[in-house]
């Protein structure tokens, strides 16, 4: 099992969390399985940016992002060099530290009341 440290997020994980994930599990699936309700509007099909995370430690242990993911990340709020879509980034054997950005862009829900 690989350790994932989730940095505090005001709404989704106020105290932060330390979770375990089997190698090959996506960061998104690991978060969801451990009660961190990260948004995933496209149901993890790599069609939006709502599951965007910033990998603060362990980034180089992840497989490189494919072109579609890179294109979508260009539209993510708060993009950083170590940004990934959590639905596409599979955990390897190296521990990770991830940050969920404060905001997300959800084209489906934006402007809805």
């Amino acid at each position: 099992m690989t350790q994932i440290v989730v940095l505090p997020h005001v709404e989704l994980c106020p105290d932060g969390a330390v979770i375990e994930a089997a190698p090959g599990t996506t960061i998104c699936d690991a978060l969801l399985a451990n009660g961190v309700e990260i948004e995933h509007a496209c149901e993890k099909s790599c069609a939006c940016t709502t599951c965007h995370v910033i990998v603060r430690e362990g980034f180089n242990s992840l497989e490189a992002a494919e072109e579609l993911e890179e294109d979508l990340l260009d539209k993510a709020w708060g993009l950083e060099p170590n940004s990934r879509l959590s639905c596409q980034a599979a955990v390897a054997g190296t521990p990770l530290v991830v940050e969920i950005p404060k905001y997300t862009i959800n084209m489906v829900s934006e402007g809805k009341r």
Side-chain angles (χ1 to χ4, degrees):
M1 298 294 270
T2 302
Q3 184 180 74
I4 302 173
V5 174
V6 183
L7 297 177
H9 181 280
V10 174
E11 294 173 7
L12 302 177
C13 192
D15 297 324
V18 178
I19 62 177
E20 298 284 330
T25 303
T26 66
I27 294 171
C28 185
D29 284 338
L31 294 174
L32 292 170
N34 287 277
V36 180
E37 295 297 322
I38 189 166
E39 193 170 354
H40 52 289
C42 71
E43 295 299 319
K44 303 180 273 186
S45 66
C46 195
C48 73
T49 63
T50 59
C51 71
H52 168 225
V53 295
I54 302 161
V55 183
R56 296 289 180 204
E57 293 180 23
F59 181 81
N60 291 331
S61 71
L62 303 172
E63 292 287 327
E66 293 191 8
E67 187 174 348
L68 176 59
E69 180 183 357
E70 292 284 354
D71 290 346
L72 285 168
L73 279 169
D74 287 340
K75 301 172 187 173
W77 184 91
L79 182 67
E80 293 191 17
N82 291 349
S83 288
R84 289 297 302 267
L85 296 182
S86 66
C87 70
Q88 300 301 301
V91 173
T94 302
L96 302 174
V97 175
V98 299
E99 178 180 353
I100 302 168
K102 184 175 181 179
Y103 300 109
T104 185
I105 298 171
N106 185 338
M107 298 300 188
V108 176
S109 69
E110 297 298 319
K112 303 287 182 188
R113 296 187 196 270

